Amino acid sequence: MRAFRAAVEAHDMDAVEALLADDVVFSSPVVFKPYRGKAITAAILRAVERVFEDFRYERVIGEADGRDHALVFAARVGDREISGCDFLHLDASGRIAELTVMVRPLSGAQALQAAMAAQFERIAEEAQATPLTQEARARRAG
C-alpha cells in the first residue's frame, strides 16, 4: 500500500492513523492476543516509530490494486538488527482492516518486546487520549 508506506517513511503517524479502519485488528509479533481498534493500534504504531532505528522498507509484495499487501522491512532496536514484514489487509473502503507484523531473529524480537514493554504506559495513555489531549501532546513533543 503506497499511502501507508509513504506515511511510515515520512514519520507521519497522523497519516498512518488516518489509514486505519475504526475496527482495525493489529497482531503483534510479540503478543499472542490481537489488539482491536484504531486508538490502541495507532498508539502502538507511534511507539514502534519511537523504538525502531534505521527503519526502511526493502520490498513490497502484492498487486497495486489488491486488498492484501506485504511490506518487507529492516530496522534496528538497540544493537539488534531486525528483519520483518507488515502484512496489510484492506477493507472495501481501502482502510487497513488487519495489520499483522512478524519479525526475526528471535533475539531481535526479544529486543523489540523489551523496548515496547518500556513504552507500555505511554501507549496506554495515548490510546485513551481524546483528540484535544492528542493535540496538546503533539505541542508538548514538538
Side-chain angles (χ1 to χ4, degrees), residues 4 10 79 91 106 125:
F4 179 80
D79 64 348
D91 64 16
L106 178 58
E125 288 174 6

Side-chain angles (χ1 to χ4, degrees), residues 91-140:
D91 64 16
S93 67
R95 299 244 184 255
I96 299 168
E98 297 174 24
L99 172 56
T100 300
V101 180
M102 298 203 179
V103 298
R104 65 162 305 282
L106 178 58
S107 61
Q110 291 167 329
L112 177 60
Q113 189 279 329
M116 290 300 289
Q119 296 281 323
F120 182 78
E121 282 186 39
R122 186 168 176 186
I123 291 169
E125 288 174 6
E126 289 180 2
Q128 295 299 318
T130 64
L132 181 59
T133 352
Q134 289 174 344
E135 183 180 313
R137 184 184 70 243
R139 283 195 306 267
R140 184 176 65 233

Side-chain angles (χ1 to χ4, degrees), residues 55-105:
F55 180 89
R56 64 204 172 278
Y57 282 117
E58 297 183 326
R59 188 170 18 146
V60 177
I61 302 167
E63 297 177 19
D65 59 349
R67 291 179 55 187
D68 294 291
H69 304 272
L71 288 79
V72 179
F73 65 84
R76 190 170 41 82
V77 176
D79 64 348
R80 298 291 180 195
E81 296 290 326
I82 292 177
S83 298
C85 192
D86 291 336
F87 295 95
L88 301 141
H89 175 73
L90 308 180
D91 64 16
S93 67
R95 299 244 184 255
I96 299 168
E98 297 174 24
L99 172 56
T100 300
V101 180
M102 298 203 179
V103 298
R104 65 162 305 282

